[in-house]
């Protein structure tokens, strides 16, 4: 495997990875914008965007010269898709045929805005249906309501799809302003994973991008209103059509540190969570035997310079006991054994190795690495060199005072504690 990295004259960053012996190619074009980007400082001043604009625009971008590019991709033997996350939006295709024709189409359609009032109106019904689907899913609703409880104004409290009202009110002008703010070529990252010679692919991209000069002399900067340290709601209960209750315990922390410090903190804290909420914990079998944990349970932490939180959630009849065990864990902060830590470290490195054969997963991680300006190889070394002392220090430094409890209860049934 070899790779090429280059920043083009228009600012587009390109990462190409050659995989000899494979028949498939995958190319991704991503932009550093997503569901969190509701405000930005631009050369024209402060701009505010409707919630859900990033996701709505993603749906609308699959048009070029009045045609659906999905059909054109299929004619080139390529399958295409896209996704919107909190801080990035990406469009990608995979093919076992010649990747250059669909690559040219990909670069053209993501850098050309082709929307109409009719296409936007039609999309509203599709996205509202998608919103209803997630809104009626108890696990999705559990996590979103927990974010609503943790955050007062920070846009994690708003679904990536937006609010129903903003979806209904979305206009071609809203989408055009969002597009021209965040979709400049200088903000684009192109990731390619292919068995074909990289020099030829790079030359093709360079030639194509010569037709798309960067237009922003002053790069836009996302803006976030000051977020209080306290949680927005200490508790929230929602009746839904579920067979058994769901519960989520959320903790909010004060963001601190630079990107590398937060990556290390994120890695360390999630090692601890994985060690506590798995059969590696000697108490885990007791939780199963007591039916405190059933088939649906998990824990996760997220740490960045803009947000920091930890979630523990489960579907269980014994919601009070689940809450008690979580609160006991964060109070005592039991440490991992050397054996457990080494198992978790090896599991993490094994996932990194498996990622190399997952074209889509690797492309997504490479995109995030470029946007974070921390190479994926450096992140792997960070995981390789982390110590049990790093885990202990990261967990010991956490302040668990800001907490919220979210419950989803069966409709018309008493909650079983």
């Amino acid at each position: 495997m070899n790779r090429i990295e280059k920043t083009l004259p228009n600012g587009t960053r390109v990462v190409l990875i050659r995989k000899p012996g494979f028949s498939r190619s995958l190319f991704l074009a991503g932009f550093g914008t997503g569901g969190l980007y509701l405000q930005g400082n631009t050369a024209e001043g402060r701009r505010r965007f409707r919630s859900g604009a990033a996701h709505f625009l993603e749906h609308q971008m699959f048009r070029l010269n009045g045609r659906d590019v999905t059909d054109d991709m299929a004619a080139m033997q390529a399958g295409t898709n896209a996704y919107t996350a909190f801080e990035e939006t990406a469009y990608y295709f995979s093919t076992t045929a010649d990747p250059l024709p669909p690559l040219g189409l990909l670069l053209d359609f993501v850098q050309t805005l082709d929307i109409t009032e009719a296409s936007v109106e039609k999309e509203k019904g599709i996205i509202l249906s998608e919103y209803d689907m997630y809104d009626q899913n108890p696990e999705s609703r559990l996590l979103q309501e927990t974010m609503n409880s943790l955050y007062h104004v920070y846009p994690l409290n708003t679904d990536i799809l937006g609010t129903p009202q903003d979806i209904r009110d979305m206009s071609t002008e809203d989408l055009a302003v969002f597009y021209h703010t965040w979709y400049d070529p200088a903000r684009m990252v192109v990731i390619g994973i292919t068995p074909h010679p990289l020099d030829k692919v790079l030359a093709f991209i360079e030639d194509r991008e010569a037709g798309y000069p960067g237009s922003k002399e002053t790069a836009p900067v996302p803006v976030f209103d000051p977020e209080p340290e306290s949680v927005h709601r200490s508790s929230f209960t929602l009746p839904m059509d579920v067979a058994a209750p769901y519960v989520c315990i959320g903790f909010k922390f004060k963001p601190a540190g630079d990107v590398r410090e937060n990556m290390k903190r994120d890695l360390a804290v999630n090692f601890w969570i994985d060690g506590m909420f798995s059969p590696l914990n000697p108490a885990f079998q007791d939780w199963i035997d007591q039916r405190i944990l059933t088939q649906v349970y998990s824990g996760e932490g997220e740490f960045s310079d803009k947000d920091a939180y930890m979630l523990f959630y489960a579907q269980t009849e014994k919601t009070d006991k689940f809450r008690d065990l979580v609160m006991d864990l964060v109070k005592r902060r039991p440490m991992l054994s050397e054996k457990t830590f080494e198992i978790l470290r090896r599991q993490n490195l094994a996932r990194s190795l498996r990622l190399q054969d997952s074209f889509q997963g690797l492309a997504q991680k490479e995109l995030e690495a470029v946007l974070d300006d921390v190479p994926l190889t450096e992140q792997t070394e960070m995981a390789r060199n982390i110590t049990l002392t790093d885990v202990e220090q990261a967990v010991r430094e956490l302040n668990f005072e800001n907490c919220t409890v979210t419950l989803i209860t069966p409709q018309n049934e008493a909650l079983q504690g």
Side-chain angles (χ1 to χ4, degrees):
M1 182 178 77
N2 64 309
R3 64 187 286 139
I4 292 176
E5 297 185 32
K6 187 172 183 178
T7 299
L8 305 186
N10 66 356
T12 295
R13 288 163 289 178
V14 180
V15 177
L16 300 177
I17 301 170
R18 190 179 186 195
K19 289 276 196 173
F22 285 79
S23 61
R24 188 162 74 100
S25 297
L26 184 143
F27 285 84
L28 176 152
F31 296 86
T33 184
L36 294 182
Y37 285 56
L38 303 186
Q39 299 184 74
N41 281 337
T42 71
E44 296 79 21
R46 176 72 60 89
R47 282 180 169 168
R48 296 180 182 270
F49 310 97
R50 291 194 188 278
S51 65
H55 175 263
F56 202 118
L57 182 62
E58 173 222 307
H59 278 231
Q60 285 286 287
M61 287 303 298
F62 285 87
R63 290 169 49 87
L64 184 64
N65 300 324
R67 292 177 55 83
D68 185 341
V69 299
T70 304
D71 297 332
D72 294 332
M73 284 283 189
M76 298 173 183
Q77 302 178 56
T80 189
N81 210 332
Y83 66 89
T84 302
F86 286 114
E87 297 196 73
E88 69 267 2
T89 303
Y91 307 83
Y92 59 94
F93 73 86
S94 64
T95 183
T96 55
D98 181 358
L100 297 187
L103 175 57
L105 180 56
L106 173 69
L107 296 176
D108 287 342
F109 85 74
V110 299
Q111 296 179 99
T112 305
L113 184 63
D114 183 7
I115 58 175
T116 66
E117 290 186 7
S119 69
V120 171
E121 287 302 313
K122 180 180 178 181
E123 202 68 49
K124 291 179 181 180
I126 296 171
I127 295 177
L128 285 169
S129 295
E130 185 179 356
Y131 181 93
D132 288 342
M133 179 182 68
Y134 285 114
D135 197 49
Q136 294 168 21
N137 180 289
E139 291 184 51
S140 297
R141 191 69 183 275
L142 178 74
L143 298 180
Q144 186 58 60
E145 290 296 348
T146 301
M147 290 301 174
N148 296 350
S149 292
L150 288 176
Y151 291 99
H152 297 254
V153 295
Y154 186 65
L156 276 178
N157 68 0
T158 304
D159 195 290
I160 287 176
L161 275 65
T163 66
Q165 191 59 54
D166 276 345
I167 296 170
R168 294 188 192 98
D169 292 343
M170 197 72 69
S171 69
T172 55
E173 182 181 357
D174 293 328
L175 297 175
V177 170
F178 191 93
Y179 174 85
H180 290 298
T181 300
W182 303 115
Y183 272 60
D184 190 77
R187 297 181 59 83
M188 185 168 72
V189 180
V190 177
I191 310 292
I193 306 170
T194 180
H196 298 281
L198 300 185
D199 289 343
K200 181 180 178 181
V201 176
L202 179 61
F204 180 88
I205 295 173
E206 289 176 318
D207 182 66
R208 205 72 167 209
E209 285 305 295
Y212 296 100
S215 61
K216 297 291 183 187
E217 294 182 4
T218 303
V221 178
V223 175
F224 303 97
D225 292 329
E227 171 66 33
E229 290 187 31
S230 63
V231 297
H232 182 221
R233 304 181 301 205
S234 60
S235 64
F236 181 77
T237 300
L238 175 71
M240 288 186 72
D241 185 16
V242 293
Y246 288 79
V247 57
C248 182
I249 319 297
F251 298 94
K252 178 182 179 182
F253 310 109
K254 185 177 180 179
D258 63 20
V259 62
R260 285 173 171 80
E261 289 173 323
N262 279 300
M263 282 182 176
K264 187 174 181 179
R265 183 180 296 117
D266 189 281
L267 186 65
V269 171
N270 278 289
F271 267 37
W272 183 75
I273 295 172
D274 291 345
M276 293 298 106
F277 257 56
S278 75
L280 294 172
N281 184 347
F284 183 82
Q285 188 58 50
D286 288 340
W287 299 340
I288 296 291
D289 293 342
Q290 296 174 48
R291 304 293 295 169
I292 300 173
L293 296 184
T294 55
Q295 291 184 333
V296 178
Y297 64 88
S298 191
E300 61 186 71
E302 171 72 25
F303 295 85
S304 78
D305 62 334
K306 295 186 288 294
D307 55 71
Y309 60 86
M310 187 184 296
L311 307 177
F312 297 92
Y313 53 95
Q315 183 180 29
T316 175
E317 296 284 356
K318 300 186 176 182
T319 57
D320 286 346
K321 290 187 180 297
F322 179 82
R323 181 187 59 211
D324 290 345
L325 80 83
V326 169
M327 299 308 292
D328 180 65
L329 276 178
V330 301
K331 180 181 179 180
R332 291 189 301 108
R333 309 185 199 198
M335 286 300 109
L336 306 175
S337 68
E338 288 279 1
K339 180 179 179 181
T340 297
F341 170 74
E342 185 59 25
I343 291 172
L344 291 168
R345 194 180 69 86
R346 293 190 180 197
Q347 288 177 346
N348 183 277
L349 292 173
R351 285 194 294 270
S352 296
L353 290 174
R354 289 195 298 272
L355 184 66
Q356 299 301 314
D357 291 333
S358 170
F359 281 26
Q360 182 179 335
L362 179 58
Q364 291 177 4
K365 286 295 184 183
E366 288 283 0
L367 171 63
E368 293 170 8
V370 173
L371 294 176
D372 287 333
D373 200 25
V374 182
L376 202 54
T377 52
E378 182 180 338
Q379 296 182 41
T380 301
E381 280 304 302
M382 189 182 297
R384 192 185 305 276
N385 296 326
I386 194 169
T387 66
L388 182 55
T389 300
D390 294 328
V391 175
E392 292 174 349
Q393 179 177 344
V395 175
R396 188 167 55 246
E397 291 176 348
L398 294 175
N399 179 351
F400 289 99
E401 289 182 1
N402 294 309
C403 172
T404 187
V405 179
T406 306
L407 292 170
I408 291 182
T409 62
Q411 291 176 338
N412 303 318
E413 290 186 21
L415 179 64
Q416 300 297 311

